[in-house]
Amino acid sequence: MDLNNFKLSLELRIDFSDLDMYKHVNNLTFIRFLQSGRVNFWEATGLATLFSETNKGAILVSTHCDFRKSLFYPGKAIVKTKLAYIKNSSFGLDQVILNEKGEICAEGRDIAVFFDFSKDEALPIPKDLRETMQQY
């Protein structure tokens, strides 16, 4: 896997409260880390601003995580995110979670739909947003 294809990167501190009874990062925390990466994509592409201004934005319809290696406290998790594909109204994000050594600890895939929250319906992704998203 070429990590250079992941244009967005977010470093997160692992907190003691992220641990489970086995003293490694809880599986649910991995999902939260993926959410942080997804929000990073929303912010970088303007999806977050678009939502606050128009009530149109992305809505998550699916998330998937494959766990590869444990994360531990103290430490950091690095979440890398890239656009996997873009269709008419939906798009996918591929994500990886790395430890401080750069080892892949998890791989994720999110699927989202461009959505009008006022009308409660999916919409085609606007051309200018599509072009911005494709940069990532």
Side-chain angles (χ1 to χ4, degrees):
M1 174 181 305
D2 187 358
L3 296 178
N4 292 319
N5 292 330
F6 290 80
K7 303 294 184 211
L8 291 172
S9 185
L10 180 66
E11 186 176 287
L12 302 169
R13 181 180 148 210
I14 296 171
D15 290 322
F16 183 76
S17 62
D18 294 329
L19 305 182
D20 61 17
M21 65 187 272
Y22 304 114
K23 299 186 180 171
H24 57 66
V25 172
N26 185 295
N27 294 351
L28 182 59
T29 301
F30 277 79
I31 301 299
R32 194 168 40 82
F33 290 167
L34 293 175
Q35 178 185 31
S36 295
R38 183 171 58 249
V39 170
N40 193 32
F41 181 85
W42 271 215
E43 291 171 344
T45 59
L47 274 163
T49 302
L50 184 64
F51 172 73
S52 68
E53 294 174 353
T54 67
N55 214 32
K56 296 174 185 171
I59 188 168
L60 182 69
V61 297
S62 176
T63 191
H64 178 85
C65 184
D66 291 322
F67 305 99
R68 304 283 183 226
K69 192 173 184 83
S70 295
L71 285 168
F72 297 95
Y73 173 88
K76 293 186 180 170
I78 297 96
V79 183
K80 293 191 170 284
T81 307
K82 71 174 183 173
L83 181 71
Y85 67 84
I86 189 165
K87 295 183 178 180
N88 182 47
S89 61
S90 67
F91 61 94
L93 298 177
D94 282 341
Q95 299 192 82
V96 292
I97 299 174
L98 309 172
N99 61 19
E100 291 172 302
K101 296 177 186 175
E103 299 168 318
I104 295 174
C105 296
E107 296 178 60
R109 166 66 65 97
D110 290 339
I111 299 171
V113 170
F114 190 67
F115 199 76
D116 185 330
F117 289 86
S118 298
K119 295 182 180 179
D120 197 31
E121 65 184 17
L123 296 172
I125 299 168
K127 182 183 177 194
D128 58 335
L129 178 58
R130 178 181 299 273
E131 290 171 356
T132 300
M133 291 169 68
Q134 289 172 331
Q135 296 175 28
Y136 298 97

